[in-house]
PDB file of all heavy atoms in Angstrom:
ATOM      1  N   ARG H 204      19.404 174.669  94.061  1.00  0.00           N
ATOM      2  CA  ARG H 204      20.216 173.452  94.057  1.00  0.00           C
ATOM      3  C   ARG H 204      20.081 172.678  95.361  1.00  0.00           C
ATOM      4  O   ARG H 204      20.398 171.493  95.422  1.00  0.00           O
ATOM      5  CB  ARG H 204      21.687 173.823  93.829  1.00  0.00           C
ATOM      6  CG  ARG H 204      21.959 174.478  92.478  1.00  0.00           C
ATOM      7  CD  ARG H 204      23.385 174.962  92.402  1.00  0.00           C
ATOM      8  NE  ARG H 204      23.619 175.740  91.193  1.00  0.00           N
ATOM      9  CZ  ARG H 204      24.691 176.494  90.986  1.00  0.00           C
ATOM     10  NH1 ARG H 204      25.611 176.573  91.925  1.00  0.00           N
ATOM     11  NH2 ARG H 204      24.830 177.164  89.864  1.00  0.00           N
ATOM     12  N   PRO H 414      34.057 179.332  88.240  1.00  0.00           N
ATOM     13  CA  PRO H 414      32.783 180.048  88.085  1.00  0.00           C
ATOM     14  C   PRO H 414      32.569 180.635  86.692  1.00  0.00           C
ATOM     15  O   PRO H 414      31.447 180.694  86.198  1.00  0.00           O
ATOM     16  CB  PRO H 414      32.878 181.144  89.149  1.00  0.00           C
ATOM     17  CG  PRO H 414      33.783 180.593  90.192  1.00  0.00           C
ATOM     18  CD  PRO H 414      34.796 179.779  89.446  1.00  0.00           C
ATOM     19  N   ALA H 415      33.675 181.092  86.060  1.00  0.00           N
ATOM     20  CA  ALA H 415      33.516 181.685  84.732  1.00  0.00           C
ATOM     21  C   ALA H 415      33.026 180.653  83.725  1.00  0.00           C
ATOM     22  O   ALA H 415      32.312 180.987  82.771  1.00  0.00           O
ATOM     23  CB  ALA H 415      34.841 182.288  84.264  1.00  0.00           C
ATOM     24  N   PHE H 416      33.404 179.372  83.922  1.00  0.00           N
ATOM     25  CA  PHE H 416      32.908 178.316  83.033  1.00  0.00           C
ATOM     26  C   PHE H 416      31.385 178.228  83.115  1.00  0.00           C
ATOM     27  O   PHE H 416      30.697 178.114  82.094  1.00  0.00           O
ATOM     28  CB  PHE H 416      33.537 176.969  83.433  1.00  0.00           C
ATOM     29  CG  PHE H 416      33.077 175.807  82.589  1.00  0.00           C
ATOM     30  CD1 PHE H 416      33.793 175.459  81.455  1.00  0.00           C
ATOM     31  CD2 PHE H 416      31.947 175.077  82.918  1.00  0.00           C
ATOM     32  CE1 PHE H 416      33.373 174.380  80.666  1.00  0.00           C
ATOM     33  CE2 PHE H 416      31.529 174.021  82.137  1.00  0.00           C
ATOM     34  CZ  PHE H 416      32.243 173.665  81.011  1.00  0.00           C
ATOM     35  N   GLU H 417      30.867 178.325  84.337  1.00  0.00           N
ATOM     36  CA  GLU H 417      29.422 178.264  84.515  1.00  0.00           C
ATOM     37  C   GLU H 417      28.746 179.454  83.849  1.00  0.00           C
ATOM     38  O   GLU H 417      27.716 179.315  83.176  1.00  0.00           O
ATOM     39  CB  GLU H 417      29.075 178.226  86.006  1.00  0.00           C
ATOM     40  CG  GLU H 417      29.646 177.033  86.751  1.00  0.00           C
ATOM     41  CD  GLU H 417      29.192 176.980  88.195  1.00  0.00           C
ATOM     42  OE1 GLU H 417      28.056 177.396  88.472  1.00  0.00           O
ATOM     43  OE2 GLU H 417      29.971 176.537  89.054  1.00  0.00           O
ATOM     44  N   GLU H 418      29.346 180.653  84.026  1.00  0.00           N
ATOM     45  CA  GLU H 418      28.733 181.854  83.467  1.00  0.00           C
ATOM     46  C   GLU H 418      28.773 181.840  81.939  1.00  0.00           C
ATOM     47  O   GLU H 418      27.804 182.211  81.273  1.00  0.00           O
ATOM     48  CB  GLU H 418      29.456 183.090  83.999  1.00  0.00           C
ATOM     49  CG  GLU H 418      28.879 184.399  83.489  1.00  0.00           C
ATOM     50  CD  GLU H 418      29.573 185.611  84.074  1.00  0.00           C
ATOM     51  OE1 GLU H 418      30.380 185.424  85.017  1.00  0.00           O
ATOM     52  OE2 GLU H 418      29.326 186.723  83.588  1.00  0.00           O
ATOM     53  N   ILE H 419      29.906 181.400  81.364  1.00  0.00           N
ATOM     54  CA  ILE H 419      30.078 181.451  79.915  1.00  0.00           C
ATOM     55  C   ILE H 419      29.300 180.351  79.214  1.00  0.00           C
ATOM     56  O   ILE H 419      28.647 180.592  78.189  1.00  0.00           O
ATOM     57  CB  ILE H 419      31.576 181.389  79.548  1.00  0.00           C
ATOM     58  CG1 ILE H 419      32.279 182.670  80.021  1.00  0.00           C
ATOM     59  CG2 ILE H 419      31.774 181.190  78.048  1.00  0.00           C
ATOM     60  CD1 ILE H 419      33.791 182.630  79.873  1.00  0.00           C
ATOM     61  N   THR H 420      29.343 179.111  79.746  1.00  0.00           N
ATOM     62  CA  THR H 420      28.715 177.974  79.052  1.00  0.00           C
ATOM     63  C   THR H 420      27.300 177.697  79.527  1.00  0.00           C
ATOM     64  O   THR H 420      26.552 177.002  78.835  1.00  0.00           O
ATOM     65  CB  THR H 420      29.549 176.706  79.247  1.00  0.00           C
ATOM     66  OG1 THR H 420      29.465 176.288  80.635  1.00  0.00           O
ATOM     67  CG2 THR H 420      31.008 176.949  78.867  1.00  0.00           C
ATOM     68  N   GLY H 421      26.946 178.192  80.719  1.00  0.00           N
ATOM     69  CA  GLY H 421      25.621 177.912  81.254  1.00  0.00           C
ATOM     70  C   GLY H 421      25.538 176.596  81.995  1.00  0.00           C
ATOM     71  O   GLY H 421      24.508 176.278  82.590  1.00  0.00           O
ATOM     72  N   TYR H 422      26.605 175.790  81.980  1.00  0.00           N
ATOM     73  CA  TYR H 422      26.620 174.518  82.691  1.00  0.00           C
ATOM     74  C   TYR H 422      27.165 174.726  84.102  1.00  0.00           C
ATOM     75  O   TYR H 422      28.256 175.271  84.285  1.00  0.00           O
ATOM     76  CB  TYR H 422      27.495 173.480  81.975  1.00  0.00           C
ATOM     77  CG  TYR H 422      26.889 172.968  80.683  1.00  0.00           C
ATOM     78  CD1 TYR H 422      27.258 173.498  79.452  1.00  0.00           C
ATOM     79  CD2 TYR H 422      25.942 171.941  80.707  1.00  0.00           C
ATOM     80  CE1 TYR H 422      26.710 173.035  78.268  1.00  0.00           C
ATOM     81  CE2 TYR H 422      25.383 171.471  79.513  1.00  0.00           C
ATOM     82  CZ  TYR H 422      25.761 172.024  78.303  1.00  0.00           C
ATOM     83  OH  TYR H 422      25.202 171.548  77.142  1.00  0.00           O
ATOM     84  N   SER H 423      26.414 174.294  85.097  1.00  0.00           N
ATOM     85  CA  SER H 423      26.877 174.401  86.479  1.00  0.00           C
ATOM     86  C   SER H 423      27.970 173.365  86.727  1.00  0.00           C
ATOM     87  O   SER H 423      28.175 172.441  85.928  1.00  0.00           O
ATOM     88  CB  SER H 423      25.713 174.179  87.445  1.00  0.00           C
ATOM     89  OG  SER H 423      25.239 172.840  87.339  1.00  0.00           O
ATOM     90  N   GLU H 424      28.664 173.537  87.828  1.00  0.00           N
ATOM     91  CA  GLU H 424      29.701 172.573  88.194  1.00  0.00           C
ATOM     92  C   GLU H 424      29.105 171.178  88.324  1.00  0.00           C
ATOM     93  O   GLU H 424      29.680 170.182  87.849  1.00  0.00           O
ATOM     94  CB  GLU H 424      30.363 172.999  89.501  1.00  0.00           C
ATOM     95  CG  GLU H 424      31.474 172.062  89.961  1.00  0.00           C
ATOM     96  CD  GLU H 424      32.106 172.521  91.269  1.00  0.00           C
ATOM     97  OE1 GLU H 424      31.563 173.442  91.890  1.00  0.00           O
ATOM     98  OE2 GLU H 424      33.125 171.938  91.653  1.00  0.00           O
ATOM     99  N   ALA H 426      26.529 169.968  86.803  1.00  0.00           N
ATOM    100  CA  ALA H 426      26.148 169.414  85.508  1.00  0.00           C
ATOM    101  C   ALA H 426      27.362 169.058  84.665  1.00  0.00           C
ATOM    102  O   ALA H 426      27.295 168.147  83.828  1.00  0.00           O
ATOM    103  CB  ALA H 426      25.271 170.415  84.754  1.00  0.00           C
ATOM    104  N   LEU H 435      29.719 170.730  74.923  1.00  0.00           N
ATOM    105  CA  LEU H 435      29.720 172.036  74.266  1.00  0.00           C
ATOM    106  C   LEU H 435      29.671 171.916  72.741  1.00  0.00           C
ATOM    107  O   LEU H 435      29.678 172.925  72.043  1.00  0.00           O
ATOM    108  CB  LEU H 435      30.968 172.828  74.663  1.00  0.00           C
ATOM    109  CG  LEU H 435      31.203 173.047  76.158  1.00  0.00           C
ATOM    110  CD1 LEU H 435      32.533 173.764  76.386  1.00  0.00           C
ATOM    111  CD2 LEU H 435      30.045 173.848  76.762  1.00  0.00           C
ATOM    112  N   GLU H 465      28.411 175.500  71.923  1.00  0.00           N
ATOM    113  CA  GLU H 465      26.997 175.708  72.231  1.00  0.00           C
ATOM    114  C   GLU H 465      26.788 175.681  73.737  1.00  0.00           C
ATOM    115  O   GLU H 465      27.252 174.758  74.410  1.00  0.00           O
ATOM    116  CB  GLU H 465      26.157 174.619  71.558  1.00  0.00           C
ATOM    117  CG  GLU H 465      24.693 174.957  71.425  1.00  0.00           C
ATOM    118  CD  GLU H 465      23.977 173.989  70.501  1.00  0.00           C
ATOM    119  OE1 GLU H 465      23.625 172.891  70.965  1.00  0.00           O
ATOM    120  OE2 GLU H 465      23.777 174.333  69.315  1.00  0.00           O
ATOM    121  N   ARG H 466      26.097 176.698  74.259  1.00  0.00           N
ATOM    122  CA  ARG H 466      25.782 176.762  75.678  1.00  0.00           C
ATOM    123  C   ARG H 466      24.709 175.738  76.045  1.00  0.00           C
ATOM    124  O   ARG H 466      24.107 175.091  75.192  1.00  0.00           O
ATOM    125  CB  ARG H 466      25.270 178.164  76.040  1.00  0.00           C
ATOM    126  CG  ARG H 466      26.322 179.245  76.068  1.00  0.00           C
ATOM    127  CD  ARG H 466      25.724 180.639  76.215  1.00  0.00           C
ATOM    128  NE  ARG H 466      24.658 180.659  77.207  1.00  0.00           N
ATOM    129  CZ  ARG H 466      24.833 180.894  78.503  1.00  0.00           C
ATOM    130  NH1 ARG H 466      26.048 181.137  78.962  1.00  0.00           N
ATOM    131  NH2 ARG H 466      23.802 180.913  79.334  1.00  0.00           N
ATOM    132  N   SER H 467      24.447 175.665  77.346  1.00  0.00           N
ATOM    133  CA  SER H 467      23.409 174.730  77.817  1.00  0.00           C
ATOM    134  C   SER H 467      22.029 175.125  77.323  1.00  0.00           C
ATOM    135  O   SER H 467      21.138 174.273  77.197  1.00  0.00           O
ATOM    136  CB  SER H 467      23.413 174.679  79.346  1.00  0.00           C
ATOM    137  OG  SER H 467      23.111 175.970  79.881  1.00  0.00           O
ATOM    138  N   ASP H 468      21.817 176.427  77.031  1.00  0.00           N
ATOM    139  CA  ASP H 468      20.528 176.886  76.533  1.00  0.00           C
ATOM    140  C   ASP H 468      20.460 176.896  75.011  1.00  0.00           C
ATOM    141  O   ASP H 468      19.592 177.534  74.416  1.00  0.00           O
ATOM    142  CB  ASP H 468      20.214 178.287  77.079  1.00  0.00           C
ATOM    143  CG  ASP H 468      21.287 179.311  76.715  1.00  0.00           C
ATOM    144  OD1 ASP H 468      22.215 178.961  75.939  1.00  0.00           O
ATOM    145  OD2 ASP H 468      21.202 180.456  77.202  1.00  0.00           O
ATOM    146  N   ILE H 472      28.157 180.166  71.015  1.00  0.00           N
ATOM    147  CA  ILE H 472      29.196 181.076  71.484  1.00  0.00           C
ATOM    148  C   ILE H 472      30.485 180.751  70.745  1.00  0.00           C
ATOM    149  O   ILE H 472      30.674 179.633  70.242  1.00  0.00           O
ATOM    150  CB  ILE H 472      29.419 180.962  73.010  1.00  0.00           C
ATOM    151  CG1 ILE H 472      29.665 179.497  73.418  1.00  0.00           C
ATOM    152  CG2 ILE H 472      28.264 181.545  73.773  1.00  0.00           C
ATOM    153  CD1 ILE H 472      29.985 179.313  74.880  1.00  0.00           C
TER     154      ILE H 472
END
Side-chain angles (χ1 to χ4, degrees):
R204 297 173 187 167
F416 179 91
E417 300 184 33
E418 181 178 350
I419 293 172
T420 69
Y422 289 97
S423 66
E424 181 180 10
L435 304 176
E465 199 168 81
R466 287 171 43 90
S467 62
D468 58 6
I472 53 176

